[in-house]
Structures are given as C-alpha cells and as structure tokens.
PDB file of all heavy atoms in Angstrom:
ATOM      1  N   MET A  63      86.113 -17.741 -59.023  1.00  0.00           N
ATOM      2  CA  MET A  63      87.111 -16.654 -59.095  1.00  0.00           C
ATOM      3  C   MET A  63      86.901 -15.829 -60.375  1.00  0.00           C
ATOM      4  O   MET A  63      86.739 -16.417 -61.456  1.00  0.00           O
ATOM      5  CB  MET A  63      88.512 -17.264 -59.090  1.00  0.00           C
ATOM      6  CG  MET A  63      89.634 -16.237 -59.086  1.00  0.00           C
ATOM      7  SD  MET A  63      91.277 -17.034 -58.934  1.00  0.00           S
ATOM      8  CE  MET A  63      91.536 -17.660 -60.595  1.00  0.00           C
ATOM      9  N   ALA A  64      86.785 -14.509 -60.211  1.00  0.00           N
ATOM     10  CA  ALA A  64      86.665 -13.656 -61.341  1.00  0.00           C
ATOM     11  C   ALA A  64      87.973 -12.985 -61.720  1.00  0.00           C
ATOM     12  O   ALA A  64      88.682 -12.456 -60.800  1.00  0.00           O
ATOM     13  CB  ALA A  64      85.606 -12.560 -61.033  1.00  0.00           C
ATOM     14  N   VAL A  65      88.368 -13.064 -62.946  1.00  0.00           N
ATOM     15  CA  VAL A  65      89.698 -12.567 -63.392  1.00  0.00           C
ATOM     16  C   VAL A  65      89.489 -11.586 -64.552  1.00  0.00           C
ATOM     17  O   VAL A  65      88.512 -11.625 -65.300  1.00  0.00           O
ATOM     18  CB  VAL A  65      90.669 -13.692 -63.796  1.00  0.00           C
ATOM     19  CG1 VAL A  65      91.001 -14.557 -62.588  1.00  0.00           C
ATOM     20  CG2 VAL A  65      90.081 -14.533 -64.893  1.00  0.00           C
ATOM     21  N   TYR A  66      90.497 -10.702 -64.713  1.00  0.00           N
ATOM     22  CA  TYR A  66      90.390  -9.640 -65.739  1.00  0.00           C
ATOM     23  C   TYR A  66      91.834  -9.268 -66.172  1.00  0.00           C
ATOM     24  O   TYR A  66      92.730  -9.266 -65.415  1.00  0.00           O
ATOM     25  CB  TYR A  66      89.631  -8.496 -65.181  1.00  0.00           C
ATOM     26  CG  TYR A  66      89.585  -7.271 -66.079  1.00  0.00           C
ATOM     27  CD1 TYR A  66      88.750  -7.240 -67.193  1.00  0.00           C
ATOM     28  CD2 TYR A  66      90.408  -6.173 -65.834  1.00  0.00           C
ATOM     29  CE1 TYR A  66      88.726  -6.114 -68.014  1.00  0.00           C
ATOM     30  CE2 TYR A  66      90.373  -5.053 -66.638  1.00  0.00           C
ATOM     31  CZ  TYR A  66      89.550  -5.036 -67.778  1.00  0.00           C
ATOM     32  OH  TYR A  66      89.467  -3.916 -68.587  1.00  0.00           O
ATOM     33  N   SER A  67      91.881  -8.891 -67.430  1.00  0.00           N
ATOM     34  CA  SER A  67      93.122  -8.339 -67.950  1.00  0.00           C
ATOM     35  C   SER A  67      92.808  -7.116 -68.854  1.00  0.00           C
ATOM     36  O   SER A  67      91.911  -7.208 -69.650  1.00  0.00           O
ATOM     37  CB  SER A  67      93.899  -9.385 -68.792  1.00  0.00           C
ATOM     38  OG  SER A  67      95.090  -8.780 -69.318  1.00  0.00           O
ATOM     39  N   GLU A  68      93.557  -6.080 -68.652  1.00  0.00           N
ATOM     40  CA  GLU A  68      93.427  -4.877 -69.462  1.00  0.00           C
ATOM     41  C   GLU A  68      94.006  -5.067 -70.851  1.00  0.00           C
ATOM     42  O   GLU A  68      93.663  -4.348 -71.805  1.00  0.00           O
ATOM     43  CB  GLU A  68      93.991  -3.654 -68.800  1.00  0.00           C
ATOM     44  CG  GLU A  68      93.283  -3.224 -67.560  1.00  0.00           C
ATOM     45  CD  GLU A  68      93.857  -1.957 -66.927  1.00  0.00           C
ATOM     46  OE1 GLU A  68      94.936  -1.513 -67.485  1.00  0.00           O
ATOM     47  OE2 GLU A  68      93.265  -1.414 -65.995  1.00  0.00           O
ATOM     48  N   ASP A  69      94.871  -6.063 -70.987  1.00  0.00           N
ATOM     49  CA  ASP A  69      95.515  -6.323 -72.247  1.00  0.00           C
ATOM     50  C   ASP A  69      94.615  -7.197 -73.092  1.00  0.00           C
ATOM     51  O   ASP A  69      94.319  -8.348 -72.730  1.00  0.00           O
ATOM     52  CB  ASP A  69      96.851  -7.065 -72.037  1.00  0.00           C
ATOM     53  CG  ASP A  69      97.682  -7.174 -73.306  1.00  0.00           C
ATOM     54  OD1 ASP A  69      97.098  -7.080 -74.430  1.00  0.00           O
ATOM     55  OD2 ASP A  69      98.903  -7.404 -73.204  1.00  0.00           O
ATOM     56  N   PRO A  70      94.117  -6.663 -74.178  1.00  0.00           N
ATOM     57  CA  PRO A  70      93.167  -7.442 -75.024  1.00  0.00           C
ATOM     58  C   PRO A  70      93.792  -8.708 -75.623  1.00  0.00           C
ATOM     59  O   PRO A  70      93.112  -9.605 -76.088  1.00  0.00           O
ATOM     60  CB  PRO A  70      92.716  -6.471 -76.113  1.00  0.00           C
ATOM     61  CG  PRO A  70      93.849  -5.456 -76.219  1.00  0.00           C
ATOM     62  CD  PRO A  70      94.350  -5.341 -74.815  1.00  0.00           C
ATOM     63  N   ASN A  71      95.116  -8.757 -75.631  1.00  0.00           N
ATOM     64  CA  ASN A  71      95.787  -9.909 -76.196  1.00  0.00           C
ATOM     65  C   ASN A  71      95.947 -11.081 -75.267  1.00  0.00           C
ATOM     66  O   ASN A  71      96.501 -12.128 -75.590  1.00  0.00           O
ATOM     67  CB  ASN A  71      97.164  -9.498 -76.749  1.00  0.00           C
ATOM     68  CG  ASN A  71      97.102  -8.520 -77.877  1.00  0.00           C
ATOM     69  OD1 ASN A  71      96.236  -8.659 -78.788  1.00  0.00           O
ATOM     70  ND2 ASN A  71      97.912  -7.487 -77.887  1.00  0.00           N
ATOM     71  N   ILE A  72      95.525 -10.786 -73.955  1.00  0.00           N
ATOM     72  CA  ILE A  72      95.731 -11.829 -72.960  1.00  0.00           C
ATOM     73  C   ILE A  72      94.311 -12.393 -72.580  1.00  0.00           C
ATOM     74  O   ILE A  72      93.453 -11.652 -72.220  1.00  0.00           O
ATOM     75  CB  ILE A  72      96.415 -11.307 -71.684  1.00  0.00           C
ATOM     76  CG1 ILE A  72      97.868 -10.876 -72.026  1.00  0.00           C
ATOM     77  CG2 ILE A  72      96.439 -12.281 -70.584  1.00  0.00           C
ATOM     78  CD1 ILE A  72      98.595 -10.287 -70.858  1.00  0.00           C
ATOM     79  N   ASP A  73      94.212 -13.658 -72.685  1.00  0.00           N
ATOM     80  CA  ASP A  73      93.001 -14.388 -72.228  1.00  0.00           C
ATOM     81  C   ASP A  73      93.111 -14.689 -70.735  1.00  0.00           C
ATOM     82  O   ASP A  73      93.837 -15.583 -70.371  1.00  0.00           O
ATOM     83  CB  ASP A  73      92.817 -15.665 -73.065  1.00  0.00           C
ATOM     84  CG  ASP A  73      91.589 -16.446 -72.593  1.00  0.00           C
ATOM     85  OD1 ASP A  73      90.847 -16.013 -71.669  1.00  0.00           O
ATOM     86  OD2 ASP A  73      91.427 -17.609 -73.093  1.00  0.00           O
ATOM     87  N   ALA A  74      92.489 -13.881 -69.893  1.00  0.00           N
ATOM     88  CA  ALA A  74      92.645 -14.006 -68.454  1.00  0.00           C
ATOM     89  C   ALA A  74      92.281 -15.365 -67.949  1.00  0.00           C
ATOM     90  O   ALA A  74      92.968 -15.993 -67.137  1.00  0.00           O
ATOM     91  CB  ALA A  74      91.801 -12.918 -67.766  1.00  0.00           C
ATOM     92  N   VAL A  75      91.153 -15.913 -68.436  1.00  0.00           N
ATOM     93  CA  VAL A  75      90.703 -17.266 -67.994  1.00  0.00           C
ATOM     94  C   VAL A  75      91.639 -18.307 -68.464  1.00  0.00           C
ATOM     95  O   VAL A  75      92.072 -19.199 -67.727  1.00  0.00           O
ATOM     96  CB  VAL A  75      89.273 -17.516 -68.474  1.00  0.00           C
ATOM     97  CG1 VAL A  75      88.852 -18.957 -68.168  1.00  0.00           C
ATOM     98  CG2 VAL A  75      88.281 -16.510 -67.841  1.00  0.00           C
ATOM     99  N   GLY A  76      92.036 -18.208 -69.791  1.00  0.00           N
ATOM    100  CA  GLY A  76      92.964 -19.159 -70.330  1.00  0.00           C
ATOM    101  C   GLY A  76      94.305 -19.193 -69.640  1.00  0.00           C
ATOM    102  O   GLY A  76      94.905 -20.248 -69.494  1.00  0.00           O
ATOM    103  N   ALA A  77      94.778 -18.027 -69.237  1.00  0.00           N
ATOM    104  CA  ALA A  77      96.089 -17.981 -68.504  1.00  0.00           C
ATOM    105  C   ALA A  77      96.020 -18.765 -67.171  1.00  0.00           C
ATOM    106  O   ALA A  77      96.963 -19.402 -66.790  1.00  0.00           O
ATOM    107  CB  ALA A  77      96.460 -16.541 -68.251  1.00  0.00           C
ATOM    108  N   CYS A  78      94.857 -18.654 -66.525  1.00  0.00           N
ATOM    109  CA  CYS A  78      94.697 -19.315 -65.241  1.00  0.00           C
ATOM    110  C   CYS A  78      94.503 -20.795 -65.408  1.00  0.00           C
ATOM    111  O   CYS A  78      94.952 -21.602 -64.584  1.00  0.00           O
ATOM    112  CB  CYS A  78      93.511 -18.735 -64.497  1.00  0.00           C
ATOM    113  SG  CYS A  78      93.733 -16.961 -64.004  1.00  0.00           S
ATOM    114  N   VAL A  79      93.856 -21.186 -66.452  1.00  0.00           N
ATOM    115  CA  VAL A  79      93.616 -22.653 -66.754  1.00  0.00           C
ATOM    116  C   VAL A  79      94.930 -23.281 -67.170  1.00  0.00           C
ATOM    117  O   VAL A  79      95.191 -24.413 -66.702  1.00  0.00           O
ATOM    118  CB  VAL A  79      92.496 -22.796 -67.779  1.00  0.00           C
ATOM    119  CG1 VAL A  79      92.391 -24.306 -68.143  1.00  0.00           C
ATOM    120  CG2 VAL A  79      91.184 -22.277 -67.216  1.00  0.00           C
ATOM    121  N   GLY A  80      95.649 -22.646 -68.055  1.00  0.00           N
ATOM    122  CA  GLY A  80      96.920 -23.189 -68.583  1.00  0.00           C
ATOM    123  C   GLY A  80      96.678 -24.121 -69.722  1.00  0.00           C
ATOM    124  O   GLY A  80      95.620 -24.561 -70.006  1.00  0.00           O
ATOM    125  N   ASN A  81      97.808 -24.459 -70.339  1.00  0.00           N
ATOM    126  CA  ASN A  81      97.824 -25.393 -71.463  1.00  0.00           C
ATOM    127  C   ASN A  81      97.292 -26.718 -71.026  1.00  0.00           C
ATOM    128  O   ASN A  81      97.883 -27.351 -70.117  1.00  0.00           O
ATOM    129  CB  ASN A  81      99.247 -25.492 -72.034  1.00  0.00           C
ATOM    130  CG  ASN A  81      99.274 -26.345 -73.293  1.00  0.00           C
ATOM    131  OD1 ASN A  81      98.278 -26.403 -74.014  1.00  0.00           O
ATOM    132  ND2 ASN A  81     100.437 -26.939 -73.574  1.00  0.00           N
ATOM    133  N   ARG A  82      96.238 -27.197 -71.633  1.00  0.00           N
ATOM    134  CA  ARG A  82      95.563 -28.486 -71.266  1.00  0.00           C
ATOM    135  C   ARG A  82      95.143 -28.496 -69.884  1.00  0.00           C
ATOM    136  O   ARG A  82      94.960 -29.585 -69.260  1.00  0.00           O
ATOM    137  CB  ARG A  82      96.476 -29.634 -71.621  1.00  0.00           C
ATOM    138  CG  ARG A  82      96.878 -29.761 -73.092  1.00  0.00           C
ATOM    139  CD  ARG A  82      97.763 -30.953 -73.304  1.00  0.00           C
ATOM    140  NE  ARG A  82      98.181 -31.039 -74.709  1.00  0.00           N
ATOM    141  CZ  ARG A  82      98.985 -31.991 -75.215  1.00  0.00           C
ATOM    142  NH1 ARG A  82      99.442 -32.926 -74.348  1.00  0.00           N
ATOM    143  NH2 ARG A  82      99.338 -32.009 -76.452  1.00  0.00           N
ATOM    144  N   GLY A  83      94.942 -27.312 -69.275  1.00  0.00           N
ATOM    145  CA  GLY A  83      94.433 -27.279 -67.897  1.00  0.00           C
ATOM    146  C   GLY A  83      95.468 -27.630 -66.846  1.00  0.00           C
ATOM    147  O   GLY A  83      95.085 -27.859 -65.680  1.00  0.00           O
ATOM    148  N   LEU A  84      96.744 -27.600 -67.192  1.00  0.00           N
ATOM    149  CA  LEU A  84      97.799 -28.042 -66.274  1.00  0.00           C
ATOM    150  C   LEU A  84      97.896 -27.085 -65.023  1.00  0.00           C
ATOM    151  O   LEU A  84      98.108 -27.561 -63.914  1.00  0.00           O
ATOM    152  CB  LEU A  84      99.162 -28.060 -66.966  1.00  0.00           C
ATOM    153  CG  LEU A  84      99.298 -29.208 -68.006  1.00  0.00           C
ATOM    154  CD1 LEU A  84     100.687 -29.129 -68.601  1.00  0.00           C
ATOM    155  CD2 LEU A  84      99.194 -30.546 -67.273  1.00  0.00           C
ATOM    156  N   ARG A  85      97.767 -25.792 -65.242  1.00  0.00           N
ATOM    157  CA  ARG A  85      97.889 -24.876 -64.140  1.00  0.00           C
ATOM    158  C   ARG A  85      96.745 -25.028 -63.086  1.00  0.00           C
ATOM    159  O   ARG A  85      97.057 -25.212 -61.897  1.00  0.00           O
ATOM    160  CB  ARG A  85      97.897 -23.433 -64.633  1.00  0.00           C
ATOM    161  CG  ARG A  85      99.176 -23.078 -65.363  1.00  0.00           C
ATOM    162  CD  ARG A  85      99.078 -21.684 -65.957  1.00  0.00           C
ATOM    163  NE  ARG A  85     100.337 -21.304 -66.626  1.00  0.00           N
ATOM    164  CZ  ARG A  85     100.559 -20.178 -67.278  1.00  0.00           C
ATOM    165  NH1 ARG A  85      99.567 -19.248 -67.358  1.00  0.00           N
ATOM    166  NH2 ARG A  85     101.697 -19.868 -67.874  1.00  0.00           N
ATOM    167  N   VAL A  86      95.543 -25.049 -63.549  1.00  0.00           N
ATOM    168  CA  VAL A  86      94.419 -25.114 -62.605  1.00  0.00           C
ATOM    169  C   VAL A  86      94.347 -26.552 -61.991  1.00  0.00           C
ATOM    170  O   VAL A  86      94.017 -26.719 -60.809  1.00  0.00           O
ATOM    171  CB  VAL A  86      93.148 -24.766 -63.273  1.00  0.00           C
ATOM    172  CG1 VAL A  86      92.621 -25.823 -64.224  1.00  0.00           C
ATOM    173  CG2 VAL A  86      92.026 -24.490 -62.211  1.00  0.00           C
ATOM    174  N   SER A  87      94.753 -27.574 -62.752  1.00  0.00           N
ATOM    175  CA  SER A  87      94.657 -28.930 -62.224  1.00  0.00           C
ATOM    176  C   SER A  87      95.624 -29.167 -61.101  1.00  0.00           C
ATOM    177  O   SER A  87      95.342 -29.855 -60.131  1.00  0.00           O
ATOM    178  CB  SER A  87      94.933 -29.935 -63.376  1.00  0.00           C
ATOM    179  OG  SER A  87      96.194 -29.786 -63.880  1.00  0.00           O
ATOM    180  N   SER A  88      96.785 -28.513 -61.124  1.00  0.00           N
ATOM    181  CA  SER A  88      97.790 -28.660 -60.066  1.00  0.00           C
ATOM    182  C   SER A  88      97.280 -27.980 -58.780  1.00  0.00           C
ATOM    183  O   SER A  88      97.501 -28.485 -57.652  1.00  0.00           O
ATOM    184  CB  SER A  88      99.138 -28.022 -60.427  1.00  0.00           C
ATOM    185  OG  SER A  88      99.042 -26.630 -60.565  1.00  0.00           O
ATOM    186  N   ILE A  89      96.528 -26.877 -58.938  1.00  0.00           N
ATOM    187  CA  ILE A  89      95.895 -26.245 -57.760  1.00  0.00           C
ATOM    188  C   ILE A  89      94.779 -27.075 -57.198  1.00  0.00           C
ATOM    189  O   ILE A  89      94.642 -27.164 -55.981  1.00  0.00           O
ATOM    190  CB  ILE A  89      95.418 -24.808 -58.200  1.00  0.00           C
ATOM    191  CG1 ILE A  89      96.627 -23.947 -58.549  1.00  0.00           C
ATOM    192  CG2 ILE A  89      94.651 -24.179 -57.024  1.00  0.00           C
ATOM    193  CD1 ILE A  89      96.266 -22.599 -59.119  1.00  0.00           C
ATOM    194  N   VAL A  90      93.984 -27.642 -58.109  1.00  0.00           N
ATOM    195  CA  VAL A  90      92.857 -28.511 -57.651  1.00  0.00           C
ATOM    196  C   VAL A  90      93.440 -29.738 -56.872  1.00  0.00           C
ATOM    197  O   VAL A  90      92.866 -30.102 -55.840  1.00  0.00           O
ATOM    198  CB  VAL A  90      92.064 -29.019 -58.852  1.00  0.00           C
ATOM    199  CG1 VAL A  90      91.061 -30.097 -58.446  1.00  0.00           C
ATOM    200  CG2 VAL A  90      91.260 -27.845 -59.496  1.00  0.00           C
ATOM    201  N   ALA A  91      94.572 -30.223 -57.301  1.00  0.00           N
ATOM    202  CA  ALA A  91      95.190 -31.313 -56.581  1.00  0.00           C
ATOM    203  C   ALA A  91      95.644 -30.909 -55.207  1.00  0.00           C
ATOM    204  O   ALA A  91      95.431 -31.654 -54.232  1.00  0.00           O
ATOM    205  CB  ALA A  91      96.385 -31.849 -57.383  1.00  0.00           C
ATOM    206  N   GLU A  92      96.188 -29.733 -55.096  1.00  0.00           N
ATOM    207  CA  GLU A  92      96.618 -29.209 -53.806  1.00  0.00           C
ATOM    208  C   GLU A  92      95.470 -29.059 -52.901  1.00  0.00           C
ATOM    209  O   GLU A  92      95.562 -29.171 -51.613  1.00  0.00           O
ATOM    210  CB  GLU A  92      97.371 -27.878 -53.971  1.00  0.00           C
ATOM    211  CG  GLU A  92      97.843 -27.202 -52.702  1.00  0.00           C
ATOM    212  CD  GLU A  92      98.866 -28.051 -51.928  1.00  0.00           C
ATOM    213  OE1 GLU A  92      99.759 -28.598 -52.601  1.00  0.00           O
ATOM    214  OE2 GLU A  92      98.828 -28.027 -50.730  1.00  0.00           O
ATOM    215  N   LEU A  93      94.275 -28.703 -53.434  1.00  0.00           N
ATOM    216  CA  LEU A  93      93.073 -28.470 -52.622  1.00  0.00           C
ATOM    217  C   LEU A  93      92.266 -29.734 -52.434  1.00  0.00           C
ATOM    218  O   LEU A  93      91.125 -29.671 -51.948  1.00  0.00           O
ATOM    219  CB  LEU A  93      92.199 -27.399 -53.356  1.00  0.00           C
ATOM    220  CG  LEU A  93      92.846 -26.040 -53.512  1.00  0.00           C
ATOM    221  CD1 LEU A  93      91.907 -25.106 -54.272  1.00  0.00           C
ATOM    222  CD2 LEU A  93      93.190 -25.428 -52.192  1.00  0.00           C
ATOM    223  N   GLY A  94      92.792 -30.839 -52.764  1.00  0.00           N
ATOM    224  CA  GLY A  94      92.126 -32.172 -52.548  1.00  0.00           C
ATOM    225  C   GLY A  94      90.934 -32.350 -53.418  1.00  0.00           C
ATOM    226  O   GLY A  94      89.966 -32.991 -52.998  1.00  0.00           O
TER     227      GLY A  94
END
C-alpha cells in the first residue's frame, strides 16, 4: 500500500502503522 500526506507534519506511514504498530497489527490479525 502506498500512502501520502500533503501535510509535512504528518508521517503518512507512521499514521498507518500506529503507536508500537497497534493499528496495522489489528488489521493483520483480521486478515489472518
């Protein structure tokens, strides 16, 4: 997945990963 933000203060990849990877890990769990 390719992500982008026009706001230089926002880390697009970091926002998707989440603190300690919590956001992406919950999605990975849903996807088995």
Side-chain angles (χ1 to χ4, degrees):
M63 185 174 75
V65 295
Y66 174 75
S67 177
E68 292 185 353
D69 188 340
N71 297 318
I72 295 178
D73 176 5
V75 174
C78 295
V79 172
N81 186 27
R82 298 181 182 178
L84 289 178
R85 290 176 176 177
V86 73
S87 61
S88 67
I89 295 173
V90 169
E92 178 65 39
L93 299 177

